Amino acid sequence: MSGYAPRVARRPLLVAVVLAALALALGLLGLCYGASWATPGEVLSALTGRERSVVILDWRLPRVAAGAVFGAALGVAGAIFQNLTRNPLGSPDVIGLDAGSYTGALFAMTVLSGTSAQLATSSVVCGLLVSAVVYLLSVDRGFSGLRLVVIGIAVNAMVTALNSWIVLRADLDIAIAAVGWSAGSLNGVDWSDLWIPFWVIAVLLTVIAVQARAMHQTALGDPLAVTTGVALGRLRLLMVLVGVGCTATVTAVAGPIAFISLAAPQIGRRLAGSAGIPLLPAALTGAVLLQGADLIAQALLAPVALPVGVVSTAVGGCYLIWLLTKEVRRA
């Protein structure tokens, strides 16, 4: 028994190291891949400043960085809501938060002038409004994670219908742009689009990392969490704010990228062998999934780059079928 406990403790750390190495490898591949192949030596020379390469530093690096950071943010957002609901279906794209953030972006594009600041602000505000509606409806006679998921799915359907109506009523040029953007894409992102979202995500991830221990205690049950000093109401509010903030920030820049936040936490949990849903494996798995999906999107119909959301939706749909089948068998 004395030799068994350390192996269990080392497994999450080992998984985190392997996932981080895989994310770095995918990042290097993303910097090499393009219309013209760059060797790893050329990439390293550009990154270290020995050679100046506009293609690598200004075109490919922002895309690779966005894939890693946005994937990590979506993975953490999914872990937050799956911990909150104690349900593997409790992710932002299932319970309507992605759709709500998209509504805000549509409002900025159709009613306002559609600047980056307006897109970001509207996405966050509408994401918070939808999350508030879902949360308030689910806390009737006590908080229930299952009720939150069911209500979230219903709200998601209604908000998606609203988004379709907005697109149909919009001018043709705006409607075409909105539909293309709704697929979720990293095509054309540059550093000017990323600095503020990266700082926002860094702050949000730092906040939830500080509260990670308390968040995992809630997975043991509300009575036990309260006895250990966890303020459940305040913690849940903070978790919702951070989860919505991560989701809306990504949506404001890249559009709603589906299924990363659904799949990454569960894959990370299974790899780490954890009873709960640890944040670090979820974040690293999200980064790996989004980077991998973006590489597939670039290569599938090259030289035309597909929106990454097309690939993540196709892969995530298969994952969702598997997850639902497993849950039904367990029930």
Side-chain angles (χ1 to χ4, degrees), residues 75-104:
V76 169
I80 288 172
F81 283 101
Q82 288 179 18
N83 272 309
L84 183 66
T85 61
R86 300 173 197 163
N87 192 308
L89 291 176
S91 71
D93 44 358
V94 173
I95 62 176
L97 305 190
D98 277 13
S101 297
Y102 180 43
T103 304

Side-chain angles (χ1 to χ4, degrees), residues 56 98 107 184 308 310 326 331:
I56 293 174
D98 277 13
F107 177 80
V308 66
V310 173
K326 186 173 181 179

Side-chain angles (χ1 to χ4, degrees), residues 20 61 79 85 94 100 161 195 215 252:
L61 185 56
T85 61
V94 173
W195 289 118
M215 186 182 73

Side-chain angles (χ1 to χ4, degrees), residues 55-76:
V55 172
I56 293 174
L57 296 179
D58 296 336
W59 295 358
R60 297 179 186 173
L61 185 56
R63 183 178 192 136
V64 168
V69 175
F70 289 170
L74 292 174
V76 169

Side-chain angles (χ1 to χ4, degrees), residues 22-76:
L22 183 55
L24 289 174
L26 288 172
L28 178 61
L29 181 59
L31 293 176
C32 292
Y33 181 81
S36 60
W37 179 264
T39 65
E42 291 172 338
V43 170
L44 292 176
S45 295
L47 293 177
T48 56
R50 286 182 291 176
E51 294 182 14
R52 174 64 184 173
S53 174
V54 173
V55 172
I56 293 174
L57 296 179
D58 296 336
W59 295 358
R60 297 179 186 173
L61 185 56
R63 183 178 192 136
V64 168
V69 175
F70 289 170
L74 292 174
V76 169

